[in-house]
Amino acid sequence: MLNENIKTIRKSKGLSQEELAVKLHVVRQTVSKWEQGLSVPDADMLISLSEILGTPVSTLLGETVAETKADDLKVISEKLEVINLRLARGKTARRKALHWFFIILAAVIAVGFAALIVWNSPYLGWDYSHPETAVTGVMIHAFEWLFARMAPFVLVGAVIGACFTRK
């Protein structure tokens, strides 16, 4: 029923599958699968779909909108409250994980700089007449060179990310 409703409403609005897909930021094949009944849009996508098609979600799902009783409204509001709490917990968990990722990334970069300072590039005094020593020394120097040039940008990004994801 959902698949037929999506297709019918999309065509009545004069939209092609490609145009609808672009507005929803998905590929055309996704819209095609919905219309063929091979998959269904998730809750967020269903809301976006209803907004773009100018149709209530209940109409997309094929439900007839009947006058609801006070008890029905209470049940629906309780279900919505549970869904909102779950979504809020998920969002908080993702924000917290991202926050700690940024903190750990900044710490790793700081430790890397400290290690490079303490290590003091001992490969500079090596005898490079042996090919394996030369290759190893060049690889270590290349790592140091890249790290010293890229890590400050990553460190600043990690600090900014940690500040923005802080509660």
Side-chain angles (χ1 to χ4, degrees), residues 44-124:
D44 292 334
M45 190 59 66
L46 197 58
I47 292 170
S48 299
L49 189 61
S50 74
E51 290 171 355
I52 289 171
L53 294 177
T55 278
V57 174
S58 58
T59 303
L60 284 174
L61 294 173
E63 296 177 3
T64 55
V65 180
E67 192 173 328
T68 56
K69 299 176 186 170
D71 291 337
D72 292 343
L73 287 176
K74 186 175 181 181
V75 170
I76 290 171
S77 67
E78 288 172 357
K79 287 181 181 179
L80 286 174
E81 186 178 350
V82 169
I83 290 170
N84 283 337
L85 286 173
R86 286 182 187 164
L87 289 173
R89 279 192 220 122
K91 185 177 180 180
T92 302
R94 284 189 300 275
R95 184 200 47 80
K96 192 179 227 180
L98 194 57
H99 180 71
W100 281 105
F101 169 76
F102 285 132
I103 289 173
I104 291 170
L105 181 62
V108 166
I109 291 172
V111 167
F113 271 122
L116 288 177
I117 290 170
V118 169
W119 193 31
N120 200 21
S121 306
Y123 61 87
L124 295 176

Side-chain angles (χ1 to χ4, degrees), residues 2-10 34-35 41 49 60:
L2 172 64
N3 58 337
E4 296 165 358
N5 290 344
I6 293 173
K7 186 174 185 177
T8 304
I9 296 169
R10 174 186 59 80
W34 293 340
E35 290 182 357
L49 189 61
L60 284 174

Side-chain angles (χ1 to χ4, degrees), residues 139-150:
M139 288 174 54
I140 294 171
H141 180 70
F143 170 77
E144 254 187 25
W145 188 86
L146 279 173
F147 185 82
R149 274 138 188 90
M150 299 301 291

